Every structure is written in C-alpha cells, then in structure tokens.
Amino acid sequence: MKKENDIQTSLPFTVKDLKPYISTIDRISVCDSETLYYENYGSIEYVGEEYDNMYVYGFGPRLIDWWDKKHNCLEIISMLEIMVSKEPREDMKVE
C-alpha cells in the first residue's frame, strides 16, 4: 500500500519529506550544495523550516568539528550530513 508521503514514490524529495525518517538523537549538518555553506544542529528537531522545501541531493555520516559550549572545547564527532539544493537533482526529476 502506497502512502502519499512515501519517500520511495515521490522523487525528488525535500528535507521536509526526509525529516520524519531521521533519528532525533543524531546531530545534523545541513550543507547547501551550491554555496557549500553549512549549519550544524543538535537534532533534526532544530533544523529550521527554511530548509523544508529544499531538495535533498544526498545524505550520510560525516566527521565534523563541534564546539562543545558546556565544556568549552572542540570535539570531532559524527553527524548525519544532508546536502540540499533549491533545484532537484537532474537524475531525480520526474517527467
């Protein structure tokens, strides 16, 4: 049975489509594929709505520098990085 928001049947998909499938205990890095500007978040819950309508180019684990405010030190941690763009990938466009 297909659901309206089934990620497998609705390519290309957006960050909003992906959010329900991401663990809330993982740290997230969102990177704009056009500018390579990125923002890091403590959880998917903190990723702002400004990314909701951006298309997902890819995602996966990545080691990044994270400033620990509580302990006032730099850590190297694993995050889930989501690469996004205002335009869908060419290989995911539905005609």
Side-chain angles (χ1 to χ4, degrees):
M1 176 186 292
K2 293 182 182 179
K3 295 180 188 176
E4 185 176 316
N5 66 347
D6 187 348
I7 207 164
Q8 294 178 345
T9 61
S10 59
L11 292 175
F13 56 94
T14 64
V15 172
K16 185 176 182 179
D17 297 327
L18 188 62
K19 278 183 176 181
Y21 300 97
I22 296 177
S23 166
T24 57
I25 63 171
D26 291 320
R27 293 182 175 133
I28 304 295
S29 181
V30 179
C31 182
D32 186 317
S33 66
E34 294 152 9
T35 65
L36 299 182
Y37 173 78
Y38 67 93
E39 291 188 77
N40 298 328
Y41 300 92
S43 168
I44 191 65
E45 299 167 333
Y46 301 114
V47 175
E49 291 179 357
E50 66 269 19
Y51 293 109
D52 279 355
N53 294 320
M54 295 187 82
Y55 293 97
V56 175
Y57 263 40
F59 57 92
R62 182 174 178 137
L63 293 176
I64 61 109
D65 299 338
W66 179 271
W67 186 257
D68 185 338
K69 294 177 185 175
K70 183 178 178 182
H71 298 103
N72 199 30
C73 65
L74 187 65
E75 297 179 351
I76 307 267
I77 63 167
S78 178
M79 298 183 88
L80 175 63
E81 181 176 69
I82 304 170
M83 185 71 71
V84 299
S85 178
K86 292 177 185 171
E87 298 295 325
R89 285 176 28 181
E90 289 295 320
D91 60 335
M92 289 189 169
K93 288 185 178 176
V94 179
E95 297 185 23

